[in-house]
Coordinates of all heavy atoms in Angstrom, one line a residue:
V120 N 11.1 -2.6 2.3 CA 10.4 -3.3 3.4 C 10.2 -2.3 4.6 O 11.3 -1.8 5.1 CB 11.1 -4.6 3.9 CG1 10.2 -5.3 5.1 CG2 11.2 -5.6 2.8
R126 N 8.1 3.4 10.4 CA 7.3 4.5 9.9 C 7.9 5.3 8.8 O 9.1 5.6 9.1 CB 6.9 5.4 11.1 CG 6.0 6.5 10.8 CD 5.8 7.4 12.1 NE 5.1 8.6 11.7 CZ 3.7 8.8 11.7 NH1 3.1 7.7 12.0 NH2 3.2 9.8 11.4
V127 N 7.3 5.5 7.7 CA 7.8 6.3 6.7 C 7.0 7.5 6.3 O 5.7 7.3 6.3 CB 7.8 5.5 5.3 CG1 8.2 6.3 4.2 CG2 8.9 4.3 5.5
V165 N 0.1 3.2 -6.5 CA 0.3 2.8 -7.8 C 0.9 1.4 -7.8 O 2.0 1.2 -7.2 CB 1.1 3.6 -8.8 CG1 1.1 3.1 -10.1 CG2 0.4 5.1 -8.8
Q172 N -3.7 -7.7 3.3 CA -4.1 -8.7 4.1 C -5.3 -8.2 5.0 O -5.4 -7.0 5.4 CB -3.0 -9.2 5.0 CG -1.9 -10.0 4.3 CD -0.9 -10.5 5.2 OE1 -0.8 -10.3 6.3 NE2 0.1 -11.4 4.6
H173 N -5.9 -9.1 5.7 CA -7.1 -8.9 6.5 C -6.4 -8.1 7.8 O -5.4 -8.4 8.3 CB -7.5 -10.3 7.1 CG -8.7 -10.3 7.9 ND1 -10.0 -9.9 7.6 CD2 -8.8 -10.4 9.2 CE1 -10.8 -9.9 8.7 NE2 -10.0 -10.1 9.6

Side-chain angles (χ1 to χ4, degrees):
V120 177
R126 179 180 172 91
V127 174
V165 178
Q172 289 187 353
H173 183 80

